Amino acid sequence: MRNFFILGLACCLGLASCDILDVNPVSTITSESFWKNPSDAKAYLTGIYNKVRGLYNTSYYGEDRSDAFKPGEIGPVSVAWSQQLLESNAPSYRNAYSVIHHTNLLFYNIENLKFSNEKDKNDIKAQCYFLRAYTYFLLLRSWGEVPIVNQPTLSDDIIPSPRASKDEVVKFILDDLEKSISLFQENGFIDKNIASKPAAYALRADVFMWKAKVLNGGKEDFLAAISDIDKVEESGVELLSEYSEIFKNDNKKNKEIIFSFYFERYETGNLYVASNLTSRTDNLSMAVNLVDAATSPNQSRHVYAPSDKLRKLYLENSDDKRYCVAMIDLVDFSGKLILTQQNKFRGKQYSDDLFFDDDLIAYRWGDLLLLRAEANAALNNLEKSLYDLNKIRSRAGLSNYSGSMDKLSIEKELCDERFRELFLEQKRWFDLLRFHFGGTINIYNEVPNLKDKPNYPLYLPINYNDMVLNDKLLQTEGYESNVKR
């Protein structure tokens, strides 16, 4: 697998990284020498996986803006965490459109390659549709309206695309996933580090839940999400008996995983938790339980610590097994707390260092069970909702939910349960948005840095340079633009 990633990355980056914002036409010399046989398409697809992994290997989109973190011992925190986003400091979405360009280029060139087996061609296209949909889903949830680009940039004679509506973007994503599902020949998994039909069902269920709650969809979207999650269940995934087993480095592609991005020390850099949430050993000389912490001098930087709110949620029940998996309290000889750090993705201890090469989990069954519980709660199928919720609680060492049995109370419990279950899996900000737009919570009361900003936009602004490069773009509502038109 490692060699394929290196080859794919070289092939992918050897071509111009074109997008609608910064256009360089694809080199005809490079293209003509590369797109010769089916193995080129397979290598190129592997390079796309690498670029998507790079796009998601950050806490910026799924965690930073949420209530998951507080400042750690080393800064600086991001402007996303502090809710001080502006056109001048906003992240660019050019990397996402670079991924989209490469998926479009693969679709363009694969039709000219002669495959001896049509199944192989369809499988590559199925994976590519999945990756394009996965990338557009990040764009939709982060920026809302975004340009839809479904053709590669082949010359410098292009017309910039305006932002499409959220409804148009979600339709495009669902169309891609329908194509992906129809093209996959296998109903199950070949390798959980590559897209599959169950992974496409998982992503589509996630999209349907977003459409239902955030984009004012309806009952049919909830039912569609439940149906897709049922299909994932038919693939044979299951909850592991012990929560800690999910994240063990030597148990990466376990029965609970639906899709994850491959990480390996000698092939790529650290998982994002190392540079954001892990303390260096030399900063913690007073900690008596340091041996139990996932510490390392290897690029470790304690920018964030788990929030007090999350810590309190775990400690509401001393039997919750997930607490010691998710975080560790470092104390001195007197028992005084020095700091709390993440403990979930511990990586692997090599002879020279600890390296954070856990796979980046995109979807696992525990996530989908809670998503199905959320859909059933929205439909007022409370008994079914509690059935799935209690499976998660039981695995965590907790008794069945015994709180108020009205719909709103159960939905609030599901929001909290997803926080405990999925900490650091890049779900929290998007979960908060879904429950906010669905009427369960008020996100401005949940996120500390939003409490004094009741009208602050929930979507990201477009970066100033991206606005300059594409004169069709209008700034996200709620942000002031300095770009002259």
Coordinates of all heavy atoms in Angstrom, one line a residue, residues 40-100:
D40 N -2.0 3.6 -14.9 CA -1.8 5.0 -14.7 C -3.0 5.5 -13.9 O -2.9 6.4 -13.0 CB -1.7 5.7 -16.0 CG -0.4 5.4 -16.7 OD1 0.6 4.9 -16.1 OD2 -0.3 5.6 -17.9
A41 N -4.2 5.1 -14.3 CA -5.4 5.6 -13.6 C -5.4 5.1 -12.2 O -5.8 5.9 -11.3 CB -6.7 5.1 -14.4
K42 N -5.0 3.9 -11.9 CA -5.0 3.4 -10.6 C -4.0 4.2 -9.7 O -4.3 4.5 -8.6 CB -4.6 1.9 -10.6 CG -4.7 1.2 -9.2 CD -4.6 -0.3 -9.3 CE -4.8 -0.9 -8.0 NZ -4.6 -2.4 -8.0
A43 N -2.8 4.4 -10.3 CA -1.8 5.2 -9.5 C -2.3 6.6 -9.3 O -2.1 7.2 -8.2 CB -0.5 5.2 -10.3
Y44 N -2.9 7.2 -10.3 CA -3.5 8.6 -10.1 C -4.5 8.6 -9.0 O -4.6 9.6 -8.2 CB -4.0 9.0 -11.4 CG -4.1 10.6 -11.6 CD1 -3.0 11.3 -12.0 CD2 -5.2 11.3 -11.3 CE1 -3.0 12.6 -12.2 CE2 -5.3 12.6 -11.4 CZ -4.1 13.3 -11.9 OH -4.2 14.7 -12.0
L45 N -5.4 7.6 -9.0 CA -6.4 7.5 -7.9 C -5.8 7.5 -6.6 O -6.2 8.1 -5.6 CB -7.3 6.3 -8.2 CG -8.3 6.0 -7.1 CD1 -9.4 7.1 -7.1 CD2 -9.0 4.7 -7.3
T46 N -4.7 6.8 -6.4 CA -4.0 6.7 -5.1 C -3.4 8.0 -4.7 O -3.5 8.4 -3.5 CB -2.9 5.6 -5.2 OG1 -3.4 4.4 -5.7 CG2 -2.2 5.4 -3.9
G47 N -3.0 8.8 -5.7 CA -2.5 10.1 -5.4 C -3.7 11.0 -4.9 O -3.5 11.9 -4.1
I48 N -4.9 10.8 -5.5 CA -6.0 11.6 -5.0 C -6.3 11.2 -3.6 O -6.7 12.1 -2.8 CB -7.2 11.3 -5.9 CG1 -6.9 11.9 -7.4 CG2 -8.5 12.0 -5.4 CD1 -8.0 11.5 -8.4
Y49 N -6.3 10.0 -3.2 CA -6.5 9.6 -1.8 C -5.5 10.4 -0.9 O -5.9 10.8 0.1 CB -6.2 8.1 -1.6 CG -7.4 7.2 -1.9 CD1 -7.5 6.5 -3.1 CD2 -8.4 7.0 -0.9 CE1 -8.6 5.6 -3.3 CE2 -9.5 6.2 -1.2 CZ -9.6 5.5 -2.3 OH -10.7 4.7 -2.6
N50 N -4.3 10.4 -1.4 CA -3.3 11.1 -0.6 C -3.6 12.6 -0.4 O -3.5 13.1 0.7 CB -1.9 11.0 -1.3 CG -0.8 11.4 -0.4 OD1 -0.7 12.6 0.1 ND2 0.1 10.5 -0.1
K51 N -4.1 13.2 -1.4 CA -4.5 14.7 -1.3 C -5.7 14.9 -0.5 O -5.8 15.8 0.3 CB -4.7 15.2 -2.7 CG -3.4 15.3 -3.6 CD -3.7 15.8 -5.0 CE -4.0 17.3 -5.0 NZ -2.8 18.2 -4.7
V52 N -6.7 14.0 -0.5 CA -7.9 14.1 0.3 C -7.5 13.9 1.8 O -7.9 14.6 2.7 CB -9.0 13.0 -0.1 CG1 -10.2 13.1 0.9 CG2 -9.4 13.3 -1.5
R53 N -6.6 12.9 2.0 CA -6.1 12.7 3.4 C -5.4 13.9 3.9 O -5.7 14.4 5.1 CB -5.1 11.5 3.4 CG -4.5 11.3 4.8 CD -3.4 10.2 4.7 NE -2.3 10.5 3.8 CZ -1.3 9.7 3.4 NH1 -1.3 8.5 3.8 NH2 -0.3 10.2 2.7
G54 N -4.6 14.6 3.1 CA -4.0 15.9 3.5 C -5.0 16.9 3.8 O -4.8 17.7 4.8
L55 N -6.1 17.0 3.1 CA -7.1 18.0 3.3 C -7.8 17.8 4.6 O -8.2 18.7 5.3 CB -8.1 17.9 2.2 CG -9.3 18.9 2.1 CD1 -8.8 20.3 1.9 CD2 -10.3 18.5 1.0
Y56 N -8.0 16.5 5.0 CA -8.7 16.2 6.3 C -7.8 16.0 7.5 O -8.3 15.9 8.6 CB -9.5 14.9 6.1 CG -10.9 15.1 5.5 CD1 -11.1 15.3 4.1 CD2 -12.0 15.2 6.3 CE1 -12.3 15.5 3.6 CE2 -13.3 15.4 5.8 CZ -13.4 15.6 4.4 OH -14.7 15.8 3.9
N57 N -6.5 16.0 7.3 CA -5.6 15.8 8.4 C -5.3 17.1 9.2 O -4.2 17.7 9.3 CB -4.2 15.3 7.9 CG -3.3 14.8 9.0 OD1 -3.8 14.4 10.1 ND2 -2.0 14.9 8.8
T58 N -6.4 17.6 9.8 CA -6.4 18.8 10.5 C -7.7 18.9 11.4 O -8.7 18.3 11.1 CB -6.4 20.1 9.6 OG1 -6.5 21.3 10.4 CG2 -7.6 20.0 8.6
S59 N -7.6 19.6 12.5 CA -8.7 19.7 13.4 C -9.5 21.0 13.0 O -10.5 21.3 13.6 CB -8.3 19.8 14.9 OG -7.5 21.0 15.1
Y60 N -9.0 21.7 12.0 CA -9.5 23.1 11.7 C -11.0 23.1 11.4 O -11.8 23.9 12.0 CB -8.8 23.7 10.6 CG -8.9 25.2 10.4 CD1 -8.0 26.1 11.0 CD2 -10.0 25.7 9.8 CE1 -8.1 27.4 10.8 CE2 -10.2 27.1 9.7 CZ -9.2 28.0 10.2 OH -9.4 29.3 10.1
Y61 N -11.5 22.2 10.6 CA -12.9 22.2 10.1 C -13.8 21.5 11.1 O -14.9 22.1 11.3 CB -13.0 21.6 8.7 CG -12.1 22.2 7.7 CD1 -10.9 21.6 7.3 CD2 -12.4 23.5 7.2 CE1 -10.1 22.3 6.3 CE2 -11.6 24.1 6.2 CZ -10.5 23.5 5.8 OH -9.6 24.1 4.9
G62 N -13.5 20.4 11.6 CA -14.4 19.6 12.3 C -14.4 19.8 13.8 O -15.4 19.4 14.5
E63 N -13.3 20.4 14.4 CA -13.2 20.5 15.8 C -13.0 21.9 16.3 O -13.5 22.3 17.3 CB -12.1 19.5 16.3 CG -12.2 18.1 15.9 CD -13.0 17.3 16.9 OE1 -13.5 17.8 17.9 OE2 -13.2 16.1 16.7
D64 N -12.1 22.6 15.6 CA -11.6 23.9 16.2 C -12.7 24.9 16.6 O -12.7 25.6 17.6 CB -10.7 24.6 15.2 CG -9.3 24.1 15.3 OD1 -9.1 23.0 15.7 OD2 -8.3 24.8 14.9
R65 N -13.8 25.0 15.7 CA -14.8 26.0 16.0 C -15.8 25.5 17.1 O -16.7 26.2 17.5 CB -15.6 26.3 14.7 CG -14.7 27.1 13.7 CD -15.6 27.7 12.6 NE -16.4 28.8 13.1 CZ -17.3 29.4 12.3 NH1 -17.6 29.0 11.1 NH2 -18.0 30.5 12.8
S66 N -15.7 24.3 17.5 CA -16.6 23.7 18.4 C -16.3 24.0 19.9 O -15.5 24.8 20.2 CB -16.7 22.2 18.2 OG -15.6 21.5 18.7
D67 N -16.9 23.2 20.7 CA -16.7 23.3 22.2 C -15.8 22.2 22.7 O -15.8 21.8 23.9 CB -18.0 23.2 22.9 CG -18.9 22.0 22.5 OD1 -18.5 21.3 21.6 OD2 -20.0 21.8 23.0
A68 N -15.0 21.6 21.8 CA -14.2 20.4 22.1 C -12.9 20.8 22.8 O -12.3 20.0 23.6 CB -13.9 19.6 20.9
F69 N -12.3 22.0 22.6 CA -11.0 22.3 23.0 C -11.0 23.6 23.9 O -11.9 24.5 23.8 CB -10.1 22.7 21.8 CG -9.9 21.5 20.8 CD1 -9.7 21.8 19.5 CD2 -9.9 20.2 21.2 CE1 -9.6 20.8 18.6 CE2 -9.7 19.2 20.3 CZ -9.6 19.5 19.0
K70 N -10.0 23.7 24.7 CA -9.6 24.9 25.4 C -8.1 25.1 25.1 O -7.4 24.1 24.7 CB -9.8 24.9 26.9 CG -9.0 23.9 27.7 CD -9.3 23.9 29.1 CE -8.3 22.9 29.9 NZ -8.6 23.0 31.4
P71 N -7.5 26.3 25.3 CA -6.1 26.5 25.0 C -5.2 25.5 25.8 O -5.5 25.3 27.0 CB -5.9 27.9 25.3 CG -7.2 28.6 25.2 CD -8.2 27.5 25.7
G72 N -4.2 25.0 25.2 CA -3.2 24.1 25.8 C -2.1 24.9 26.4 O -2.2 26.1 26.6
E73 N -0.9 24.3 26.6 CA 0.2 24.9 27.2 C 1.1 25.7 26.2 O 1.9 26.5 26.5 CB 1.1 23.9 27.9 CG 1.6 22.8 27.0 CD 2.6 21.9 27.6 OE1 3.1 22.2 28.7 OE2 2.9 20.8 27.0
I74 N 0.8 25.4 24.9 CA 1.6 26.1 23.8 C 0.6 26.7 22.8 O -0.3 25.9 22.4 CB 2.6 25.1 23.1 CG1 3.6 24.6 24.1 CG2 3.3 25.8 22.0 CD1 4.4 23.5 23.6
G75 N 0.8 27.9 22.4 CA -0.1 28.4 21.3 C 0.5 28.4 20.0 O 1.5 27.8 19.8
P76 N -0.1 29.1 19.0 CA -1.3 29.9 19.2 C -2.5 29.1 18.8 O -2.4 28.2 17.9 CB -1.1 31.1 18.3 CG -0.3 30.5 17.1 CD 0.6 29.4 17.8
V77 N -3.7 29.4 19.3 CA -4.9 28.8 18.9 C -5.3 29.4 17.5 O -4.8 30.5 17.1 CB -6.1 29.0 19.9 CG1 -5.8 28.3 21.2 CG2 -6.3 30.5 20.1
S78 N -6.2 28.7 16.8 CA -6.5 29.2 15.5 C -7.6 30.3 15.6 O -8.3 30.4 16.6 CB -7.0 28.1 14.6 OG -8.3 27.7 15.0
V79 N -7.8 31.1 14.5 CA -8.8 32.1 14.5 C -10.2 31.4 14.4 O -11.2 32.0 14.7 CB -8.6 33.1 13.3 CG1 -7.4 33.9 13.5 CG2 -8.5 32.3 11.9
A80 N -10.2 30.2 13.9 CA -11.5 29.4 13.9 C -11.9 29.1 15.3 O -13.1 29.3 15.7 CB -11.3 28.1 13.1
W81 N -11.0 28.7 16.2 CA -11.3 28.4 17.6 C -11.8 29.7 18.3 O -12.8 29.7 19.0 CB -10.1 27.9 18.3 CG -10.4 27.6 19.8 CD1 -10.9 26.4 20.3 CD2 -10.2 28.5 20.9 NE1 -11.0 26.6 21.7 CE2 -10.6 27.8 22.1 CE3 -9.7 29.8 21.0 CZ2 -10.6 28.4 23.3 CZ3 -9.6 30.4 22.3 CH2 -10.1 29.7 23.4
S82 N -11.1 30.8 18.1 CA -11.4 32.1 18.7 C -12.6 32.8 18.1 O -13.0 33.8 18.6 CB -10.2 33.0 18.8 OG -9.7 33.3 17.5
Q83 N -13.1 32.2 17.0 CA -14.3 32.8 16.3 C -13.9 34.3 15.9 O -14.7 35.2 16.1 CB -15.5 32.8 17.1 CG -15.9 31.4 17.6 CD -16.3 30.4 16.5 OE1 -16.6 30.9 15.4 NE2 -16.4 29.1 16.8
Q84 N -12.8 34.4 15.3 CA -12.3 35.7 14.8 C -12.0 35.7 13.3 O -11.1 36.3 12.8 CB -11.1 36.2 15.6 CG -11.4 36.5 17.0 CD -10.2 37.0 17.8 OE1 -9.1 36.7 17.4 NE2 -10.4 37.6 18.9
L85 N -12.8 34.9 12.6 CA -12.6 34.7 11.2 C -13.0 36.0 10.4 O -14.0 36.6 10.6 CB -13.4 33.5 10.7 CG -13.0 32.2 11.1 CD1 -14.1 31.2 11.1 CD2 -11.8 31.7 10.2
L86 N -12.1 36.3 9.4 CA -12.3 37.4 8.5 C -11.9 36.9 7.1 O -11.2 35.9 6.9 CB -11.4 38.6 8.9 CG -11.6 39.2 10.3 CD1 -10.5 40.1 10.7 CD2 -12.9 39.9 10.4
E87 N -12.3 37.7 6.1 CA -11.9 37.5 4.8 C -10.3 37.4 4.6 O -9.8 36.7 3.8 CB -12.5 38.6 3.9 CG -11.9 38.8 2.6 CD -12.6 39.9 1.8 OE1 -13.8 39.7 1.4 OE2 -12.0 41.0 1.8
S88 N -9.6 38.2 5.5 CA -8.2 38.3 5.4 C -7.5 37.1 6.0 O -6.3 36.8 5.7 CB -7.7 39.6 6.1 OG -8.1 39.6 7.4
N89 N -8.1 36.4 7.0 CA -7.4 35.3 7.6 C -8.1 33.9 7.4 O -7.7 32.9 8.0 CB -7.3 35.6 9.1 CG -8.6 35.7 9.9 OD1 -9.6 35.2 9.4 ND2 -8.6 36.4 11.0
A90 N -9.2 33.9 6.6 CA -9.9 32.7 6.4 C -9.1 31.7 5.6 O -8.2 32.0 4.8 CB -11.2 33.0 5.6
P91 N -9.3 30.4 5.9 CA -8.6 29.3 5.1 C -9.1 29.4 3.6 O -10.2 29.7 3.3 CB -9.1 28.0 5.7 CG -10.4 28.4 6.3 CD -10.3 29.8 6.8
S92 N -8.1 29.1 2.8 CA -8.5 29.0 1.3 C -9.0 27.6 1.0 O -8.7 26.6 1.7 CB -7.2 29.2 0.5 OG -7.5 28.9 -0.9
Y93 N -10.0 27.6 0.1 CA -10.5 26.2 -0.3 C -9.8 25.8 -1.6 O -10.3 24.9 -2.3 CB -12.0 26.2 -0.4 CG -12.7 27.2 -1.2 CD1 -12.2 27.6 -2.4 CD2 -14.0 27.5 -0.9 CE1 -13.0 28.5 -3.2 CE2 -14.8 28.4 -1.7 CZ -14.2 28.9 -2.8 OH -15.0 29.7 -3.6
R94 N -8.7 26.3 -1.9 CA -8.0 25.9 -3.1 C -7.5 24.4 -3.1 O -7.5 23.7 -4.1 CB -6.8 26.8 -3.4 CG -7.2 28.0 -4.2 CD -6.0 28.8 -4.7 NE -5.9 30.0 -3.9 CZ -4.9 30.9 -4.1 NH1 -4.0 30.7 -5.0 NH2 -4.9 32.0 -3.3
N95 N -7.1 24.0 -1.9 CA -6.7 22.6 -1.8 C -7.8 21.6 -2.1 O -7.6 20.6 -2.7 CB -6.1 22.3 -0.4 CG -4.7 22.9 -0.2 OD1 -4.0 23.2 -1.2 ND2 -4.3 23.1 1.1
A96 N -9.0 22.0 -1.6 CA -10.2 21.2 -1.9 C -10.5 21.2 -3.4 O -10.8 20.1 -4.0 CB -11.4 21.7 -1.2
Y97 N -10.3 22.3 -4.1 CA -10.6 22.4 -5.5 C -9.5 21.7 -6.3 O -9.7 21.3 -7.5 CB -10.9 23.8 -6.0 CG -12.3 24.1 -5.7 CD1 -12.7 24.9 -4.6 CD2 -13.3 23.7 -6.6 CE1 -14.1 25.1 -4.4 CE2 -14.7 23.9 -6.3 CZ -15.0 24.7 -5.2 OH -16.4 24.9 -5.0
S98 N -8.3 21.7 -5.7 CA -7.2 20.9 -6.4 C -7.6 19.4 -6.4 O -7.4 18.7 -7.4 CB -5.9 21.1 -5.6 OG -4.9 20.3 -6.1
V99 N -8.1 18.9 -5.3 CA -8.6 17.5 -5.3 C -9.7 17.3 -6.3 O -9.7 16.3 -7.1 CB -9.2 17.2 -3.9 CG1 -9.9 15.8 -3.9 CG2 -8.1 17.1 -2.8
I100 N -10.7 18.3 -6.4 CA -11.8 18.1 -7.4 C -11.2 18.2 -8.8 O -11.7 17.4 -9.7 CB -12.8 19.3 -7.1 CG1 -13.5 19.0 -5.8 CG2 -13.8 19.4 -8.2 CD1 -14.3 20.2 -5.2

